[in-house]
Amino acid sequence: MLKIINTTTENDYTTTALASTVVSAVYSADGEEKTVNAGRGETLVLVVDGVQKDLLPGKEYEVRESFVIKSVKICRIGGPKAAPWIGAKEEEKATYYFRQALLLDHGKIVEDGSVREVIRGGTCDETKAEGITLEAGGAHFNGILADNGTKYTIRNSRFYACGDGGDDLAGWGAAIMADNQSEIDINDSWIETEGAIRCAVYVDNTSIVNVENTVIYTKETQDTFEEFANLVPGMMKRVPFALGMEGTVRSLNVMADGQGRFKNCMVVSTGWGALSTDSGTSYDICGTYALDVEDTLSGIGTMETAQEGKEYTATKIVNGVKYGFTVGGSGYVTYADSGVHNRYKNVEFYAPDYIQVMGSGRTGSSYIDSYLSSQHTAFMTQQTGGGTFDFINTTIDTVDALLQIKSGAANTGFSNIILDNSRVRFSGTSTRTEDGILVELVESDDAGNPGITTYTIDDHPEKAQGTRSEVADCNAVFKNGSYRGDIYNSIYNYKQTLNVVVENASLTGRVSSTTAVHVDLEGNIVPNGTVLNAFMGSREYDHVNYLAEKGGMGNDAKIIGRFCHTAAPILNNPVNVTLKDSVWSITGSGYINHLTVDTLDELQASAAVTITVKALTAGGKAYEDGTYTEGNVAIVVDSTPVEVIDNGVADAGQTYGNVVYAFIVETEEGEKNSQAVDVKRQNYIDGNLYFRLVPAEGFEIVSFSSKGGKIEENRAEGELAGYEYVLSPDEGSQEMHAAIVVKEKDT
């Protein structure tokens, strides 16, 4: 029996550091007490019978054959200096001492930075690992880490990593990691992890991971309340509450301009995410897909070797073995942000919540010849800047909605969707819609950065006023198929248009401007002031099982994004509908801004409905105000303009630190003019707002100032270099206003 009596660590201010920065240890084995010390710049790693274990005081291990406490050089240190932990309190930080079974740098093995005792069987050299088994049984210990241009091949191998990870935004604890222009080929292998924030594969900085004929299974472990509470950095140990789901682990994370390429694989996570990107580099800059996935089954739930006669959500054969997958838990299958593009072909994706979430930048994703299934809302976008979902010959099964676009006061965003020869089917029971929602543009209920764990319901469409403050249009195109479901625009804090085009297709459903409010899982309206809380573990039941019948999450997260719509006259939420060689079977009365058809008989209804429009064009002819009837459809043309009050708000939202901000523009004479300046900005994870001001034609900026925050010249580099200024909140400030004064240019 091996017993760890005491340890000394390089850093002792977090439990994370206690496990990874051990510089000396006192242990007893076979009744004999010994002390071992690490060399300078090194840390100790414990290996028992070929498995890495935690070197922590009080731990006891039965040794069947042998053990070693090895001193290994620390070649990579990261941690709290990296966003989003800038400014974190000392006790909230963690120092990332990377320890790994095999470290490859510039194509060479770094022997004093590797713990090769963890690699069993097969062959392993500086170019390939074949037939090996690699097992980590302790926290944030990496398997194979390829760095600085290394090219490496892994074949017919098995990886196991049990224990919480350190940070899946940095790859700390990943089973396989490629960084800094490295490339790893993974073939015919099995990768399995257990633990919070411990991803199986991590890719960063122009690196590529090619994965074929491989199974990846990442599982959450039910930490005790104390274990989970002590994980540092805290904001990375669970999915951001703003996304409306729970979960503690991602199978994959592709960062920056890295690439993850998958073919004939199975990728499953029990909660949070399976195929994920995060903080990527825009496709417009790098020109490569962040994720390129083909012939792959992926989902949130559980999997096993398929048992005869047992029913599964789906099955797939990989390397001659048939696996059964059962959807469950909470989370999304895939994610993209920061302008990255993903491509998916002939994939099967299954989600208890979302198939995909897209956030920030002109992010896009293409689905070709695929089957996708969601038990909630299939796709959701937030803080996007014009990205597009496009589907070709793809079938989507969902319950509530196909696409939810979040925008408005909390965080503006606009995105697009194109369906071509595809099928959308609504099944199951929805408590927020009777007919299913194809597209909804809604006021964002983004709670804020990943560290925010509450959200207060504040729906107030009845207080809205017409405004000139605009967000770019969203577009929905339905081509070559029969599509059934409703389309709604419920934005009210800004003006934002939803354009709907139906081309060589049929549409059955209601299309309208609406008001929308939150509803609970039973469909009841959630009162304003209701506080939703993320699941942060149960002290009473001493576990972190968000699905537990007692002490679980209570479904608060599920209310995020759950809206119910009521058709209402246009205010700031116009919907334009264009039919091209198509038929619209209208199932309910509604309000449309501009309706354009080839002929009025393209509008049909089985029961009497009234469509109120601001403008009607049929066959190129514009109709005057009045009522026009086509079968059961009455079209009321009322061109009376919406009364608009210019509040001067050129841009507004909230920072990652939940500080509300607004840019207000007025002339030297004190007249509000929100159209005189365009604000180009980026909310960054350091809690600041980076921006530049572009005056409209005919105007020039006289001055600008701020209240509740300070404006300084931007000296940041990289993706932030294109912004002239940075707006930083004052200490303790919860609200910032930037006042911009303009004047007309002299002619």
Side-chain angles (χ1 to χ4, degrees):
M1 180 67 69
L2 170 67
K3 181 177 181 179
I4 310 302
I5 299 171
N6 192 19
T7 64
T8 303
T9 59
E10 186 74 21
N11 296 300
D12 61 2
Y13 52 82
T14 69
T15 55
T16 311
L18 290 177
S20 60
T21 68
V22 180
V23 293
S24 70
V26 179
Y27 68 93
S28 65
D30 299 327
E32 185 178 358
E33 187 173 303
K34 294 184 178 180
T35 300
V36 59
N37 296 304
R40 187 173 182 178
E42 299 182 344
T43 189
L44 297 178
V45 175
L46 170 64
V47 182
V48 179
D49 296 324
V51 179
Q52 178 264 338
K53 297 288 187 178
D54 280 330
L55 189 58
L56 292 170
K59 288 284 189 179
E60 294 186 357
Y61 303 101
E62 184 175 343
V63 181
R64 296 191 307 272
E65 296 181 0
S66 65
F67 75 92
V68 62
I69 300 178
K70 182 175 181 178
S71 181
V72 60
K73 185 177 180 180
I74 299 302
C75 301
R76 174 188 285 254
I77 299 176
K81 66 178 180 295
W85 305 287
I86 295 171
K89 298 176 183 178
E90 195 68 16
E91 63 271 17
E92 296 173 347
K93 295 180 180 180
T95 301
Y96 304 175
Y97 276 29
F98 276 75
R99 307 159 301 148
Q100 53 279 315
L102 187 68
L103 176 60
L104 299 133
D105 186 53
H106 292 94
K108 303 293 183 181
I109 296 175
V110 181
E111 293 291 354
D112 59 0
S114 301
V115 187
R116 300 189 70 174
E117 290 83 352
V118 178
I119 301 172
R120 309 194 305 268
T123 60
C124 180
D125 57 30
E126 64 185 18
T127 62
K128 67 181 183 305
E130 188 164 1
I132 69 167
T133 297
L134 194 158
E135 189 169 354
H140 40 80
F141 181 86
N142 287 69
I144 293 178
L145 196 166
D147 206 357
N148 294 316
T150 296
K151 293 187 180 298
Y152 203 71
T153 298
I154 300 169
R155 290 187 181 278
N156 191 29
S157 296
R158 302 181 76 84
F159 293 77
Y160 300 92
C162 183
D164 291 328
D167 183 351
D168 66 358
L169 270 183
W172 198 25
I176 298 173
M177 175 174 171
D179 201 1
N180 297 314
Q181 300 181 325
S182 297
E183 184 167 357
I184 300 178
D185 294 334
I186 306 171
N187 298 280
D188 310 323
S189 294
W190 173 280
I191 308 170
E192 181 178 336
T193 67
E194 291 185 66
I197 53 175
R198 187 165 203 160
C199 57
V201 178
Y202 178 88
V203 192
D204 202 351
N205 296 317
T206 325
S207 295
I208 302 171
V209 171
N210 302 299
V211 190
E212 289 193 30
N213 305 316
T214 291
V215 175
I216 298 176
Y217 189 21
T218 53
K219 298 183 286 186
E220 298 159 300
T221 51
Q222 304 312 323
D223 289 348
T224 67
F225 178 84
E226 183 180 20
E227 288 170 338
F228 188 71
N230 285 335
L231 282 176
V232 175
M235 70 170 62
M236 288 312 305
K237 66 190 179 187
R238 53 176 306 283
V239 64
F241 183 55
L243 297 184
M245 63 187 81
E246 292 293 351
T248 64
V249 65
R250 290 184 280 187
S251 302
L252 166 79
N253 206 6
V254 176
M255 301 279 293
D257 55 353
Q259 298 176 63
R261 302 169 178 171
F262 291 78
K263 189 171 185 179
N264 194 36
C265 293
M266 194 164 180
V267 183
V268 174
S269 173
T270 60
W272 186 347
L275 296 165
S276 188
T277 72
D278 206 323
S279 304
T281 298
S282 171
Y283 180 85
D284 295 340
I285 295 174
C286 65
T288 56
Y289 292 122
L291 294 175
D292 197 347
V293 186
E294 192 170 342
D295 303 327
T296 290
L297 186 154
S298 186
I300 304 298
T302 58
M303 61 170 288
E304 64 183 10
T305 302
Q307 300 179 29
E308 192 70 30
K310 185 174 180 179
E311 290 189 7
Y312 298 96
T313 303
T315 61
K316 184 173 178 61
I317 295 174
V318 181
N319 288 325
V321 179
K322 184 178 181 180
Y323 297 99
F325 165 77
T326 303
V327 68
S330 182
Y332 59 69
V333 179
T334 187
Y335 181 86
D337 70 352
S338 304
V340 306
H341 282 207
N342 296 338
R343 187 186 78 102
Y344 311 91
K345 184 176 182 181
N346 193 31
V347 300
E348 292 182 50
F349 287 173
Y350 300 89
D353 293 305
Y354 305 100
I355 296 296
Q356 182 174 354
V357 174
M358 287 202 318
S360 70
R362 200 160 66 91
T363 306
S365 286
S366 298
Y367 290 85
I368 306 163
D369 302 330
S370 295
Y371 174 75
L372 314 169
S373 176
S374 164
Q375 296 179 349
H376 176 20
T377 294
F379 299 90
M380 185 266 280
T381 71
Q382 61 174 183
Q383 303 183 43
T384 48
T388 300
F389 283 116
D390 60 89
F391 303 86
I392 299 176
N393 192 33
T394 289
T395 298
I396 305 114
D397 278 324
T398 187
V399 175
D400 289 331
L402 170 65
L403 172 63
Q404 180 178 82
I405 305 170
K406 292 187 176 183
S407 186
N411 282 296
T412 59
F414 59 102
S415 54
N416 313 293
I417 184 170
I418 302 172
L419 291 104
D420 189 351
N421 191 33
S422 293
R423 295 150 295 283
V424 181
R425 304 183 303 207
F426 295 96
S427 57
T429 301
S430 174
T431 59
R432 69 184 191 94
T433 171
E434 292 183 1
D435 302 317
I437 299 170
L438 287 171
V439 179
E440 57 181 343
L441 178 54
V442 299
E443 286 285 330
S444 177
D445 52 3
D446 187 340
N449 74 38
I452 303 299
T453 57
T454 65
Y455 176 76
T456 302
I457 299 294
D458 183 23
D459 299 326
H460 52 271
E462 74 285 350
K463 297 180 182 178
Q465 295 180 324
T467 178
R468 293 180 183 174
S469 300
E470 291 193 41
V471 182
D473 294 0
C474 297
N475 300 285
V477 179
F478 302 88
K479 301 167 63 175
N480 304 316
S482 298
Y483 302 94
R484 177 182 291 271
D486 300 333
I487 300 173
Y488 296 136
N489 182 358
S490 61
I491 290 294
Y492 56 86
N493 281 295
Y494 292 88
K495 180 181 179 183
Q496 188 167 19
T497 300
L498 174 60
N499 299 310
V500 179
V501 177
V502 185
E503 185 175 339
N504 192 33
S506 65
L507 172 65
T508 301
R510 172 184 285 181
V511 181
S512 183
S513 300
T514 67
T515 58
V517 294
H518 283 85
V519 293
D520 62 21
L521 301 188
E522 286 71 46
N524 302 310
I525 294 175
V526 182
N528 283 339
T530 300
V531 179
L532 308 180
N533 294 283
F535 179 70
M536 299 302 292
S538 172
R539 184 183 297 276
E540 179 183 0
Y541 294 97
D542 191 36
H543 61 59
V544 190
N545 180 3
Y546 58 85
L547 294 174
E549 183 176 347
K550 292 184 177 180
M553 65 180 173
N555 294 313
D556 269 13
K558 300 286 187 179
I559 297 176
I560 297 289
R562 188 174 291 274
F563 292 93
C564 183
H565 294 265
T566 302
I570 299 168
L571 183 62
N572 299 320
N573 52 346
V575 182
N576 296 326
V577 178
T578 300
L579 304 182
K580 301 178 181 178
D581 298 320
S582 298
V583 174
W584 176 18
S585 296
I586 306 170
T587 60
S589 299
Y591 299 85
I592 291 172
N593 184 54
H594 193 167
L595 176 60
T596 303
V597 297
D598 297 321
T599 59
L600 290 182
D601 61 10
E602 290 182 329
L603 307 175
Q604 302 175 1
S606 58
V609 294
T610 299
I611 301 298
T612 303
V613 303
K614 292 294 181 184
L616 170 64
T617 302
K621 173 189 173 183
Y623 282 65
E624 296 180 352
D625 284 12
T627 300
Y628 306 89
T629 303
E630 178 65 35
N632 285 326
V633 182
I635 308 163
V636 177
V637 181
D638 180 1
S639 61
T640 304
V642 174
E643 183 180 354
V644 174
I645 299 173
D646 194 337
N647 57 11
V649 178
D651 187 56
Q654 64 184 24
T655 69
Y656 270 86
N658 264 27
V659 177
V660 175
Y661 67 85
F663 288 83
I664 301 173
V665 183
E666 63 179 36
T667 66
E668 289 182 304
E669 294 74 32
E671 181 181 349
K672 298 287 195 298
N673 190 335
S674 60
Q675 307 299 302
V677 174
D678 185 18
V679 181
K680 306 291 186 183
R681 49 86 177 156
Q682 181 171 346
N683 283 310
Y684 199 60
I685 49 184
D686 61 4
N688 296 327
L689 185 72
Y690 295 80
F691 69 94
R692 59 189 173 92
L693 305 176
V694 182
E697 185 176 354
F699 286 91
E700 61 181 83
I701 296 173
V702 176
S703 65
F704 57 89
S705 59
S706 62
K707 182 179 180 181
K710 60 181 178 180
I711 297 175
E712 297 178 312
E713 289 189 16
N714 175 32
R715 302 185 184 280
E717 300 178 349
E719 64 178 306
L720 300 175
Y723 300 95
E724 293 180 80
Y725 303 100
V726 56
L727 175 60
S728 306
D730 294 337
E731 186 174 353
S733 175
Q734 294 300 308
E735 189 169 339
M736 299 185 293
H737 287 89
I740 306 168
V741 178
V742 299
K743 70 175 183 179
E744 293 189 29
K745 285 184 176 180
D746 296 330
T747 56

